[in-house]
């Protein structure tokens, strides 16, 4: 394990550095609970001792025993997440882990803030930056997507599954893969409007916002969008998929 909660020697000291640390840990936790959910589920064996889910600044995750040092270098995540795995509905269990993960990364961020003397303005700015991101719980349960849909409806527009410039991929409609450029100048205005509709779309794996220069794919089951790189799907591979299931939906069906 990487030093308990992943403190390490290079602790962040500025608001920007703490926020970067927060985003890295958050990305790792979101990945564990979405794209890597099958492996995460497997590692959380109820027969093992108290286990914790750690997210690290580099964007990866780990299930391991808690830190042995007392007090620990950094705040520790929820203990014993594995014990409830088989006693709850999987969706409810993942949601519970997500809530505890949100609480943990917030505590780590404000631990750094306290340790390095952030004043009121710094703390407010840090929280504002964090609060602009959807929580892990919102991403895991799909609440973040619902919020985006509601915003789209309020603006009188409905977000289509694939961008007019081919930047997204909806396997159900056999839309073209991303990174293709319009050759028809008449579509430019429509493309700009579509980009605005997509800009609040969040990747179901890493939680990052839509980017027009990256390939995205939509799950035909849960209708969440994902970076192709997060779910290991290339534009070429997507062309041959009739119905795409994200790792989470595919895993649920496999155990049904």
């Amino acid at each position: 394990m990487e030093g308990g909660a992943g403190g390490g020697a290079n602790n962040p000291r500025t608001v920007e550095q703490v926020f970067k640390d927060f985003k890295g840990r958050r990305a790792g936790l979101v990945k564990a609970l979405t794209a890597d959910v099958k492996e995460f589920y497997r590692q959380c064996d109820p027969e093992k001792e108290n286990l914790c889910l750690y997210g690290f600044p580099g964007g990866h995750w780990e299930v391991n025993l808690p830190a042995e040092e007392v007090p620990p270098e950094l705040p520790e995540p929820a203990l014993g997440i594995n014990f409830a795995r088989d006693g709850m509905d999987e969706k409810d269990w993942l949601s519970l882990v997500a809530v505890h993960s949100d609480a943990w990364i917030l505590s780590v961020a404000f631990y750094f803030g306290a340790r390095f003397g952030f004043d009121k303005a710094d703390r407010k700015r840090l929280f504002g930056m964090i609060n602009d991101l959807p929580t892990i719980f919102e991403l895991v349960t799909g609440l973040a997507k619902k919020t985006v849909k509601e915003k789209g409806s309020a603006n009188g527009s409905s977000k289509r599954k694939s961008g007019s410039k081919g930047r997204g991929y909806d396997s159900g409609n056999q839309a073209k893969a991303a990174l293709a450029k319009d050759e028809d100048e008449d579509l430019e205005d429509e493309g700009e409007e579509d980009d605005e509709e997509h800009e609040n779309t969040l990747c179901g794996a890493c939680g990052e916002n839509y980017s027009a220069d990256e390939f995205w794919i939509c799950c035909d089951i849960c209708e969440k969008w994902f970076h192709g790189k997060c779910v290991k799907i290339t534009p070429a591979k997507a062309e041959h998929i009739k119905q795409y299931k994200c790792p989470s939906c595919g895993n649920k069906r496999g155990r049904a």
Side-chain angles (χ1 to χ4, degrees):
M1 190 168 74
E2 299 185 14
N10 299 317
N11 286 330
R13 294 173 179 269
T14 67
V15 172
E16 288 73 19
Q17 289 173 338
V18 172
F19 181 60
K20 182 179 179 181
D21 180 276
F22 176 91
K23 285 184 66 178
R25 294 177 191 275
R26 172 178 169 276
L29 295 169
V30 170
K31 187 177 181 183
L33 298 173
T34 55
D36 293 349
V37 68
K38 187 174 182 179
E39 177 61 20
F40 171 67
Y41 186 94
R42 185 191 69 79
Q43 290 190 27
C44 291
D45 185 350
E47 298 300 319
K48 294 182 179 179
E49 296 183 46
N50 291 298
L51 295 176
C52 301
L53 171 61
Y54 293 91
F56 296 99
H60 58 285
W61 60 275
E62 179 181 71
V63 171
N64 213 325
L65 296 171
E68 295 182 359
E69 57 183 334
V70 179
E73 181 183 358
L74 291 177
E76 285 286 302
L79 182 66
I81 58 170
N82 52 314
F83 294 148
R85 191 195 73 176
D86 294 345
M88 299 176 65
D89 176 79
E90 181 186 341
K91 184 177 179 180
D92 292 337
W93 175 65
L94 291 173
S95 297
L96 179 64
V97 176
V99 168
H100 282 293
S101 297
D102 279 319
W104 174 58
I105 55 175
L106 272 173
S107 69
V108 172
F110 281 88
Y111 163 83
F112 285 131
R115 181 175 177 181
F116 296 112
F118 286 8
D119 59 19
K120 181 179 179 180
D122 288 336
R123 294 193 301 272
K124 184 176 181 180
R125 186 156 66 95
L126 175 60
F127 182 76
M129 295 165 74
I130 291 174
N131 203 39
D132 282 338
L133 298 174
T135 64
I136 299 171
F137 175 78
E138 288 172 335
L139 291 171
V140 171
T141 60
L143 289 176
K145 182 183 176 184
K146 291 178 182 177
T147 301
V148 171
K149 280 188 174 181
E150 289 172 0
K151 288 181 178 178
S153 298
N155 292 330
S157 62
S158 59
K159 186 185 67 179
R160 290 172 295 169
K161 276 193 172 184
S162 65
S164 63
K165 296 191 177 183
R167 289 164 179 158
Y169 182 88
D170 174 12
S171 56
N173 294 323
Q174 295 296 304
K176 293 298 181 180
L179 300 177
K181 293 183 178 180
D182 275 325
E183 295 180 357
D184 188 349
E185 294 181 357
D186 293 337
L187 294 179
E188 287 185 358
D189 292 338
E190 181 184 349
E192 290 176 1
E193 293 176 2
D194 192 71
D195 284 347
E196 291 177 359
E197 292 176 5
H198 277 286
E199 65 182 4
N200 288 324
T201 301
L202 304 168
C203 174
C206 68
E208 294 298 318
N209 288 85
Y210 169 82
S211 177
D213 59 355
E214 294 182 289
F215 170 66
W216 286 62
I217 187 167
C218 181
C219 174
D220 289 306
I221 306 302
C222 66
E223 296 189 344
K224 290 182 181 178
W225 283 91
F226 299 86
H227 287 109
K229 63 183 179 182
C230 290
V231 290
K232 299 179 181 178
I233 299 292
T234 63
K237 186 175 181 180
E239 290 288 347
H240 302 285
I241 299 176
K242 292 183 179 180
Q243 184 185 56
Y244 174 68
K245 297 176 185 175
C246 68
S248 180
C249 290
N251 186 46
K252 290 176 184 176
R253 194 172 184 84
R255 285 201 298 273

